[in-house]
Amino acid sequence: FLKSRLLSSFLLHQQLPSISPLAVPRRGVIQGDYRRPGKPKEDKFPWQKINFNLSKGLEGIKKNFALLKKEFTDRWVGPEGKPIIEHMLEQNRVIWEFKGPESLEQWTVSSDREIGGQSDVCLKFGKYKNTCFLYGTLNSTPPRDGETRYSGYCTMRSQQPRASFDRKKHYDWSSFNTLHLRVRGDGRPWMISIATDTYFSHQKDDIYCYFLYTRGGPYWQDVRIPFSKFFLTHRGRIQDDQHPIWLDKVNTIGFTLGDKADGPFQLEIDFIGVCKDHAHTEEFAYEVYKKNPEV
């Protein structure tokens, strides 16, 4: 009887396939940079992407030392190169305006062509060379790669400000509570997104968003959006745990169109600034969970 039991158990183990433990992807893999479906992974070391050019290096050294000198002189004058009294009493500040060719270089435009889509977007000066004119064609047809299900977006985003020697620089808007824009659109709804500095690397895709509704027609519209209205998103998904935007660590601002209405679009921007509205006293417009509730 014992021999038959041993023989049956041995045969059973021979027939059953071995089951390996489940492989859970690492958080670093989940939070990695986006790669277009079907595109092979780029196996290059970081130093292989650097262009080692002597003349370019000398120009960079000259530029960075000039920025370093400006940083030292601005520190002696006051915050952001302004006297302390002027900084404390400041009620309005224009952050971006379009007065020369270098102003357009502070912005980057992109569309769903990066993932195989068919939308087009362009950026140029307005008719009188003092405004920014964003135009193109939206196409929501998804690419035929077998993986991408949705498409159809165009976006314009400001570049990360840099200090000397390529150090990150942030906008400090803690003295203001409202975003102020002067725009002229074609009636389409846009999404305004503000990216701030984060403490952890997995939060690098956290963006604060709110809507911009354009009226259309030939007339300009002044838009004032309180910062308390911006809600937190992560890779396009609204988060349950909301908190106010960190105004002392603002990195970039962007405008995104994705209303699924195929066809031409345009958006003209006169300036983008911030202001302090004393009539607005709201701190945050959404529910905030208590981290340590009182018993």
Side-chain angles (χ1 to χ4, degrees), residues 93-268:
R93 182 188 300 175
V94 176
I95 309 299
W96 290 280
E97 55 183 351
F98 307 93
K99 300 297 184 183
E102 65 279 355
S103 59
L104 290 185
E105 297 176 359
Q106 302 175 6
W107 297 86
T108 302
V109 294
S110 62
S111 68
D112 54 22
R113 283 191 176 272
E114 297 180 356
I115 62 172
Q118 303 177 19
S119 300
D120 291 318
V121 60
C122 298
L123 181 66
K124 68 176 184 179
F125 279 111
K127 182 177 180 180
Y128 300 104
K129 305 297 182 181
N130 58 356
T131 58
C132 164
F133 191 72
L134 181 69
Y135 66 99
T137 304
L138 191 69
N139 192 327
S140 58
T141 304
R144 298 182 178 180
D145 53 16
E147 297 184 28
T148 307
R149 299 174 59 189
Y150 305 102
S151 182
Y153 73 88
C154 294
T155 182
M156 161 186 169
R157 176 164 293 278
S158 65
Q159 296 183 6
Q160 167 80 50
R162 297 285 178 175
S164 58
F165 299 101
D166 208 27
R167 292 179 293 115
K168 284 186 178 181
K169 191 178 178 182
H170 313 289
Y171 297 104
D172 185 3
W173 299 345
S174 55
S175 302
F176 309 94
N177 61 359
T178 304
L179 181 69
H180 185 196
L181 309 96
R182 189 167 186 260
V183 299
R184 181 166 58 181
D186 54 359
R188 286 176 178 260
W190 292 74
M191 178 74 79
I192 301 178
S193 56
I194 298 178
T196 62
D197 197 25
T198 57
Y199 288 109
F200 305 104
S201 60
H202 67 270
Q203 296 176 329
K204 63 184 178 64
D205 295 318
D206 288 359
I207 294 178
Y208 298 86
C209 301
Y210 198 69
F211 308 102
L212 170 66
Y213 298 101
T214 58
R215 289 196 299 255
Y219 300 106
W220 291 92
Q221 63 180 112
D222 284 313
V223 182
R224 289 181 175 87
I225 304 174
F227 290 121
S228 62
K229 302 294 184 183
F230 283 81
F231 52 88
L232 177 63
T233 65
H234 179 82
R235 293 192 174 183
R237 298 181 182 272
I238 302 176
Q239 301 299 293
D240 292 331
D241 188 8
Q242 295 285 329
H243 56 79
I245 185 173
W246 296 335
L247 292 175
D248 59 336
K249 294 287 186 180
V250 175
N251 288 340
T252 61
I253 188 172
F255 301 86
T256 303
L257 176 66
D259 58 356
K260 297 183 180 180
D262 294 355
F265 67 88
Q266 64 181 33
L267 178 69
E268 192 171 1

